[in-house]
Amino acid sequence: MDEARLRRLLDVGRSLITQLDPEAVFARLLEVARELTGARYAAIGVLDERRERLERFLTAGIDDDTHRLIGQLPGGHGVLGVLIDEPQRLRLADVAAHPRSYGFPLAHPPMTTFLGVPIVVEDQAWGNLYLTEKDGGEFTDDDEEAAVVLADWAAIAISNSRLYRAVRERRDELERAVRGLETTTEISRALGGETDLERVLELVVKRSRALLDARSAEIALLDGDEFVIAAVAGEGVGGVPGTRISIDESLAGAALKSGRLQRVPEIPRDSFAYRELGARSALVTPMSFRNRPVGFLIVFDRLRGDRPFNEEDERLLEAFAASAAIAVATAQHAGDEALRRSIEASERERSRWARELHDETLQQLAALRVLLSGALRSGDHDRLQTAVGDAIEYLKTGVGDLRSLITDLRPAALDEFGIESALEALAERVSRQTDAVVDLEVDLVHDDEADSRYSPEIEATVYRVVQEALTNAVKHGEATRVHVRVSDRDGTVNVTVRDDGKGFNPQESSAGFGLLGIRERLALVRGTLKIESAPGVGTTLEISISLLTPRPPPDAGRASRAVPP
């Protein structure tokens, strides 16, 4: 082999073994093989997995029109099959003279001389390099050696490409696993302190979709013999939340019966998911807590590409669903518990109002009736006149008691004049009705003008927590002096209530409505409560409420949006 051809082979070898795209390797190999051997036509035949026939046949030197006229490409019959049966180099002066010549299609260009060499990758036949129609005669020994070297270079390049692809796939698999672990850890951390069920469901469905790169995802919760779609995320799911589906018609029905994840590679056309969501494939996994099904997490289709869901996706979704089930069950329990406590607290308040109406107002009215009835029956003008005077005093006292009760329910000053005026009236009333001295300090950037007042929810919350804190301090703490400070800075309202009462241990649970009511009201506006107290040293409550919640327009009806106690 002359020096120029050898140098050309070395240069080609360097370029081939550094190429990681198989298609680029094939194109380069065919081009150089024709150049070095003088062949008019070159082809690469790629064997199928059983190495019995050609599954791909790539050519060079034949134009597209001729390709179309030839029709179906060779599958490995005739002379081409010789190299499949016996992967050894083959050189022919006349291919038609070979015993296994199969002939050519009518539109096939004439081919006489032939050179074929196997391409062996990792000691296994991978395919063959075919060269035909050498310019100026037959293929030579140098041509054959050059073709063998090129086939070896191609084998190395194909092996490198396989190795690179395997490494890349493994890297992608590890990256997905790490991403899944990070997402699962992140969602567990995010859900750990979240007890709002709607927020939990939103987080779960969005993160599960991102975790599997799915087009859409949904959470279905059990409700009797139906599923209710409680949360959705992704494309084409806008009108789905709240939809009720019978268990028999749902994709989750099979998962409910088996208690295990179900992979649905092809969604039935009569299913809700296919009709309403246009989904084609899905993963459905139960969310179970203490062997009780909480609901089901379902992801639909890939967002990008057509890679089907696989076992790795199943493992990620199952692990994620396990964490999500705990969060959902916890949020459901917290919601039920909060509702129960709220109902109990409301019932206690109703009982208190009923006692006050019965013990005060009703008794006063009954005494008034007896007084007036007796005077009327006596016929004594002086006694009747005295009874009328006494009745006026009874009515005055009764009106005062009713006004006080109505103020407890909803102070008119809060709606009409704003938070500062309402707090001043509250402090004055508590001081007047008890032996305690209430010192009130209000320092607000927001004033009581209609265009800068807080939202009704914030105003009601501030008023109620101060009201309940004062009741706790005077009634339960037996305080003689209470200092209240209300201020707002940097988008936050801060309330401090400090008393000189008998104090208590904040670590001990209490069934009292006061602190429970304060906590529940603050939870509605995402406020915080800090308690400092100890037996014999009084109590300090520090309350913080964010003002970042959008306020309604100034002309919105405030009284109509009153927050009940």
Side-chain angles (χ1 to χ4, degrees), residues 413-424:
L414 184 59
D415 293 321
E416 296 177 9
F417 305 113
I419 186 65
E420 184 170 356
S421 299
L423 290 176
E424 289 173 352

Side-chain angles (χ1 to χ4, degrees), residues 127-314:
N128 299 293
L129 171 63
Y130 308 111
L131 302 168
T132 60
E133 287 301 289
K134 176 180 173 64
D135 290 337
E138 300 179 16
F139 289 106
T140 64
D141 291 342
D142 287 346
D143 295 332
E144 185 174 321
E145 290 301 321
V148 169
V149 171
L150 286 174
D152 289 343
W153 285 133
I156 295 172
I158 293 167
S159 180
N160 288 345
S161 177
R162 282 181 175 179
L163 180 61
Y164 172 74
R165 185 172 64 248
V167 171
R168 184 177 59 189
E169 289 175 353
R170 180 58 178 163
R171 182 201 63 195
D172 293 344
E173 179 181 342
L174 290 174
E175 286 181 352
R176 287 194 297 271
V178 170
R179 189 170 66 250
L181 180 59
E182 290 175 345
T183 304
T184 302
T185 302
E186 181 183 352
I187 194 69
S188 298
R189 186 183 299 115
L191 294 174
E194 185 63 64
T195 57
D196 183 287
L197 181 59
E198 290 188 5
R199 176 60 178 156
V200 168
L201 294 174
E202 178 187 2
L203 283 171
V204 169
V205 76
K206 286 184 177 180
R207 298 299 175 84
S208 61
R209 180 200 177 207
L211 178 63
L212 269 66
D213 193 28
R215 181 177 63 86
S216 58
E218 72 177 35
I219 289 179
L221 300 181
L222 275 171
D223 186 10
D225 60 352
E226 293 181 319
F227 289 119
V228 179
I229 300 178
V232 295
E235 301 175 359
V237 293
V240 173
T243 302
R244 306 180 74 88
I245 308 171
S246 69
I247 292 176
D248 294 337
E249 296 179 359
S250 171
L251 291 178
L256 177 63
K257 294 177 182 178
S258 66
R260 299 178 62 84
L261 180 144
Q262 299 289 318
R263 190 195 310 181
V264 187
E266 186 173 346
I267 294 176
R269 292 178 175 269
D270 60 348
S271 68
F272 174 86
Y274 185 92
R275 295 194 316 269
E276 303 298 329
L277 306 180
R280 299 295 184 268
S281 62
L283 285 182
V284 185
T285 184
M287 296 192 301
S288 300
F289 179 69
R290 295 179 178 174
N291 296 322
R292 177 180 66 86
V294 173
F296 291 84
L297 180 58
I298 310 173
V299 295
F300 299 105
D301 304 332
R302 293 287 187 187
L303 182 61
R304 289 176 289 272
D306 56 357
R307 182 173 66 89
F309 294 120
N310 54 32
E311 293 182 359
E312 178 193 349
D313 298 320
E314 293 180 6

